[in-house]
C-alpha cells in the first residue's frame, strides 16, 4: 500500500497514523502530486479535495488526476468527492452520502476497460 500527498503536514499525519497502527512495513508514505505522478496500482482510492481549503481550480486538478488514471496502469479507482461532475470519466457506481454538513459521493471508475 502506498499513501500519497503533496503537502508535508498531511504526510506527517499519515505517518503518525500508520505508526500508531503498527503498519510501518505495510504502508509507504510518499510525497507526490496527483496531477503529475504516474499511477501503477490495481486500485486507487482517493479523497479528492473538496475545495474548502484549496485555492486552485478543482476542475483543472480533477482533469489532470483523471489523465493520470487513464495513462497509468490502474484497474479501478474509487473517489470520495463533493464534485464528481468535475472528473471527466463515467462512473460505474455512485453512492451519494452525507459527509458532515456537505453532500458528497463515493464514485467508482473503470474508465479504461
Amino acid at each position: 500500500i502506498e499513501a500519497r500527498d503533496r503537502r508535508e503536514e498531511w504526510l506527517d499525519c499519515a505517518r503518525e497514523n500508520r505508526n500508531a497502527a503498527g503498519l510501518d512495513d505495510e504502508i509507504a508514505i510518499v510525497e507526490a502530486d496527483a496531477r503529475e505522478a504516474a499511477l501503477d496500482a490495481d486500485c486507487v482510492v482517493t479523497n479528492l479535495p473538496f475545495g474548502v481549503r484549496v485555492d486552485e481550480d478543482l476542475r483543472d486538478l480533477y482533469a489532470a488526476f483523471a489523465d493520470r488514471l487513464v495513462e497509468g496502469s490502474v484497474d479501478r479507482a474509487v473517489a470520495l468527492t463533493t464534485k464528481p461532475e468535475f472528473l471527466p470519466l463515467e462512473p460505474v457506481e455512485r453512492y451519494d452520502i452525507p459527509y458532515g454538513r456537505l453532500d458528497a459521493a463515493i464514485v467508482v471508475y473503470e474508465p479504461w476497460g
Side-chain angles (χ1 to χ4, degrees), residues 33-86:
D33 189 324
R35 298 168 295 183
E36 301 168 359
L39 293 171
D40 180 19
D42 295 331
C43 185
V44 170
V45 179
T46 185
N47 178 354
L48 291 167
F50 292 174
V52 177
R53 294 182 292 249
V54 177
D55 57 356
E56 59 194 276
D57 186 343
L58 288 185
R59 291 177 199 272
D60 292 342
L61 186 148
Y62 279 40
F65 174 65
D67 288 345
R68 297 299 76 71
L69 286 173
V70 173
E71 292 169 2
S73 176
V74 178
D75 295 329
R76 176 177 268 212
V78 180
L80 171 64
T81 178
T82 58
K83 304 287 186 200
E85 67 276 9
F86 286 6

Side-chain angles (χ1 to χ4, degrees), residues 4-5 7 12 15 25 38 55 62 73 77 82:
R4 297 178 176 185
D5 203 293
R7 295 195 171 129
D12 289 342
R15 287 184 194 101
D25 295 333
D55 57 356
Y62 279 40
S73 176
T82 58

Side-chain angles (χ1 to χ4, degrees), residues 5-25:
D5 203 293
R6 68 184 183 119
R7 295 195 171 129
E8 192 60 39
E9 65 185 302
W10 302 123
L11 293 168
D12 289 342
C13 289
R15 287 184 194 101
E16 187 175 322
N17 287 330
R18 175 199 60 192
N19 297 345
L23 298 172
D24 304 36
D25 295 333

